[in-house]
Structure formats: structure tokens, C-alpha cells
Amino acid sequence: MARLGAVVVVFLAAALAAEGILDPVDFLALQAVRRSLDDMPGSAFFDAWDFTADPCGFPGVYCDGNRVSALALGDPRAGSPGLTGRLDPALGRMSALTELSLVPGRVQGELPASLASCSNLRFLAVSKNLLSGGIPDGIGALSNLRTLDVSFNQISGAIPPSIASLPSITNLILCHNQLTGGIPSFPDSSPLLRMDLKHNALSGGVPSLPGSLQYLSLAANRLTGNVDSVLPRLTRLNYLDLSMNQLQGPIPASVFTLPLSVLQLQRNFFSGLLQPTSDVTIPVVDLSYNRFWGPLSPLLAGIGQLYLNNNRFTGDVPSRLVQELVGTGGLQLLYLQHNFLTGIEISPSSSLPSGVSLCLMYNCMVPPVYAPCPIKAGTQNTRPADQCPEWRG
């Protein structure tokens, strides 16, 4: 008799799928989702959610057979108001769900822990809302998850260590939250391509990261320690931002050979000599507000925008840097203010080409040319003589 009952259930499920009737579990889950969310003023996303009709025809609901396979909550058009309310735990009952997204709005409350039951989930993006609480530990068990984006919310607590072991994760975007604790170490076998954790309150060191990474932003946290053993392994990086932390120690020369479009290390405690081994061609390099010292390398002349201000560089500005700046080279911006530089070979009668920026204020020399500097450079043209023992006047 039990076997006959099981056969009947299977037959009914097949019949429902054939007729395009939504699975009752998903139907009830969608009703719970609807009760927990509302349109913000000006949004009409839920107007067409009439449960006397087939929910697979609702805006944002995508079905595969008689199961909900994707749920895109809110009007995706640019500038459209989002939703308000909370994410209902009933979302976890839609076990065939592969994608869940939420447009920017004012949805609050916690990310439902029940999402860990959506074992097929590949894409989870709920950025720019008012979500709070922690990242559920169970998210780390979603072996098919490729993208996790909870950015621009009020998520707090630690990053679950299990996140680092997700075998399919390629995009981890947790920026602009209130996360604390350390960054978990990722195995080299991880397929991670993008890690964006900027603007949190994360602490500790930069951990071991996979060589697959192409985008890494850890800016505006409370990270400490050295990076000279971590960065050389990330040979595929095309974007690196570690700015506004408390990182220290030298920068390995190999960083300047990475295929980067942007290198931002400003406002840390990095120190030592800058010694690239070949011409650097990164379009934007910002090393300002650190403790680098010694002479400037002429191999930096191939950079497009170079911020070296507020360090401890000494000696003359290499002539090659000047030639790239005033000639037809690619150097368009050179900020050297607030260092201990003693000279630059440029004629006082020289005029900088249109669109070129040079700032030399507050060094151990009188700037030979007038060039507008940013307001933060201050008003003093030169350092006091007692700070410049090698200054020849």
C-alpha cells in the first residue's frame, strides 16, 4: 500500500509539471515572500502578482517545469524604486532555486539562514538595501554558489570560514558593510576571480589567496602586517586596492610587473625602497601617504598617473620622469609634494602641456615652475631648512 502511495505522488507531480502547474511548496513560498515585501512608493513590481493566475508568469519569477528556478525581486530598470520589508525564510523552501536577486531598496532584517537549503543556488545578490545581522554559516555549504553579493548593507559579524572552501565561488562581494574579524585563507584550488571587501572593519593580515584572483579590493579596513609574501603569487591581478589600512613593510618589485590597470596602496605604513626591475606601465599608481624612502626610480616614467606624495623620497627627480611629463609621453599626473626631494631638471620658463599635472610643494627645493597643486598640499612651497640637511639653497 505504501508503495502504491509513493507511485501516486510521483504520478501527480509529473502530471502537475506536464500541465505547467507550480509545485505547491513553491506556490506557498511565493505567497510568503509576497506577504513579507512591499513596493516602495513609485514601484509597481508586485501589481501583477495575482495568485489566481500562474505564478510562473509573474514579473521576476522564472520557472523550470513546475519549480521556481530564479527569483529577481524588484523592478530592475535603472532609477526604479525598490522594495521594503523583509526576506521571508520561506525562500529556503524553493529547493530548485538557482538565482536570487534583490534590487536596491529598503529591505531590512537578516539574510535568511534557510537559504542554506537551496543547494542548487548559484547566484545570490542582494546589494544596496538595509540588511543586517551576520552571513549565515550555512551559505558556506552551497557547493554550486558562484556569486555572493551582499554589498552596501549593514551586515556585521565575521566572514564564515566555510566561505573560503566554496568549490565554485568566483565573485565574493561583501564591501560597504560592518564586517569584523579576519579574512579567511583561501585554498589555491579556489576558482575565485573577484574579491571586494572594502569599507568594512576587518582586521588581521592579508591571508593566503588563490592565484586565480583578478580583482582584489581590501581598502578601508583595519588590516595589518606585511604583504610581500602574498602579492607575488597573485600573477593574474588586473586591479589591486589595499589603501587605507595599517599595512607595513616593503612592496615586492614583482608587484610592478603584474598586468594591473590600477595599483592603490595609499594611506598605509609601507616603507623601504621602490625598486622595479623593468619599465612600469600601469596606468594608475597611488603610493601616497606611506613611508617609502630613497631615490625615485626612472623606471616609473611609463605610468599614466603617479601619486608619490607624502612619503620620504630624497634626491633629484629623474630626468626621464620630467621628459615623459613635459614631452609627448604618457605621464599625465605626477604628485611629489611633501617629500624630501632636492632638485628637478626643468626650465623655469617651461609650460606644462594642457591636461598635465605636477606638484612639487613642500620639498627641499624651491619649485622651479608654477603648477597648481591640490588644496591638501597646503600653502608652503618648501620645507624648513632644518629638515633639509642636503639642500643647497
Side-chain angles (χ1 to χ4, degrees):
M1 190 68 179
R3 182 179 178 184
L4 178 61
V7 171
V8 170
V9 170
V10 171
F11 175 79
L12 288 174
L16 289 173
E19 294 179 14
I21 300 174
L22 188 64
D23 182 279
V25 173
D26 286 8
F27 185 91
L28 293 174
L30 282 177
Q31 286 187 320
V33 169
R34 174 64 188 92
R35 288 192 298 268
S36 67
L37 294 170
D38 282 303
D39 284 302
M40 288 179 62
S43 173
F45 175 73
F46 282 124
D47 284 2
W49 278 44
D50 177 4
F51 283 92
T52 62
D54 180 11
C56 291
F58 292 177
V61 178
Y62 304 89
C63 298
D64 183 5
N66 69 329
R67 302 302 306 275
V68 175
S69 60
L71 194 55
L73 296 170
D75 188 338
R77 291 177 295 183
S80 296
L83 306 176
T84 185
R86 296 173 180 270
L87 293 176
D88 196 277
L91 285 164
R93 295 204 293 268
M94 291 187 275
S95 58
L97 200 64
T98 61
E99 297 184 15
L100 174 61
S101 62
L102 176 66
V103 299
R106 300 188 66 80
V107 176
Q108 55 188 338
E110 297 188 359
L111 202 60
S114 60
L115 288 173
S117 299
C118 299
S119 59
N120 296 306
L121 199 62
R122 297 195 302 261
F123 182 87
L124 176 57
V126 292
S127 66
K128 297 181 180 177
N129 278 277
L130 300 174
L131 296 171
S132 57
I135 299 173
D137 290 337
I139 296 293
L142 297 175
S143 60
N144 294 300
L145 192 64
R146 298 175 185 172
T147 294
L148 176 60
D149 182 356
V150 300
S151 59
F152 293 90
N153 278 287
Q154 299 170 10
I155 304 293
S156 58
I159 301 173
S162 56
I163 294 287
S165 300
L166 287 169
S168 302
I169 194 74
T170 57
N171 297 287
L172 183 61
I173 307 171
L174 312 179
C175 59
H176 291 271
N177 279 291
Q178 300 166 13
L179 294 168
T180 55
I183 302 171
S185 294
F186 283 70
D188 197 53
S189 59
S190 171
L192 191 64
L193 299 175
R194 181 185 183 97
M195 175 187 277
D196 192 346
L197 307 182
K198 64 177 175 285
H199 288 276
N200 279 286
L202 297 167
S203 57
V206 178
S208 177
L209 297 171
S212 56
L213 264 182
Q214 297 178 12
Y215 181 106
L216 177 60
S217 179
L218 306 177
N221 279 285
R222 300 170 183 171
L223 301 175
T224 56
N226 292 20
V227 297
D228 52 340
S229 64
V230 178
L231 295 184
R233 299 178 63 251
L234 306 180
T235 57
R236 299 179 185 178
L237 278 181
N238 55 50
Y239 184 98
L240 176 59
D241 186 357
L242 303 180
S243 62
M244 293 181 285
N245 280 287
Q246 300 164 32
L247 299 167
Q248 61 186 18
I251 298 300
S254 59
V255 168
F256 296 107
T257 66
L258 297 175
L260 293 168
S261 59
V262 173
L263 173 60
Q264 294 185 308
L265 304 178
Q266 70 270 23
R267 296 185 183 274
N268 279 284
F269 301 133
F270 290 123
S271 59
L273 298 168
L274 290 184
Q275 295 179 310
T277 56
S278 59
D279 286 338
V280 183
T281 57
I282 303 170
V284 178
V285 174
D286 192 342
L287 306 179
S288 62
Y289 293 93
N290 277 289
R291 298 173 178 176
F292 294 115
W293 54 274
L296 297 178
S297 171
L299 297 176
L300 300 173
I303 294 170
Q305 299 177 26
L306 180 56
Y307 301 83
L308 298 177
N309 53 287
N310 295 82
N311 277 285
R312 301 172 181 178
F313 291 112
T314 55
D316 290 353
V317 179
S319 58
R320 188 175 168 194
L321 284 175
V322 178
Q323 292 166 5
E324 289 289 323
L325 192 70
V326 301
T328 58
L331 186 56
Q332 296 294 305
L333 181 146
L334 181 59
Y335 278 2
L336 300 174
Q337 67 269 23
H338 288 259
N339 279 287
F340 294 84
L341 298 168
T342 52
I344 181 171
E345 294 182 12
I346 186 171
S347 171
S349 61
S350 296
S351 59
L352 296 176
S354 176
V356 168
S357 298
L358 170 66
C359 186
L360 297 169
M361 292 180 66
Y362 210 67
N363 275 285
C364 294
M365 61 177 168
V366 177
V369 294
Y370 170 76
C373 286
I375 295 175
K376 289 183 179 180
T379 58
Q380 291 182 275
N381 270 342
T382 62
R383 282 188 177 274
D386 60 359
Q387 296 182 17
C388 303
E390 297 181 3
W391 189 21
R392 292 185 293 274

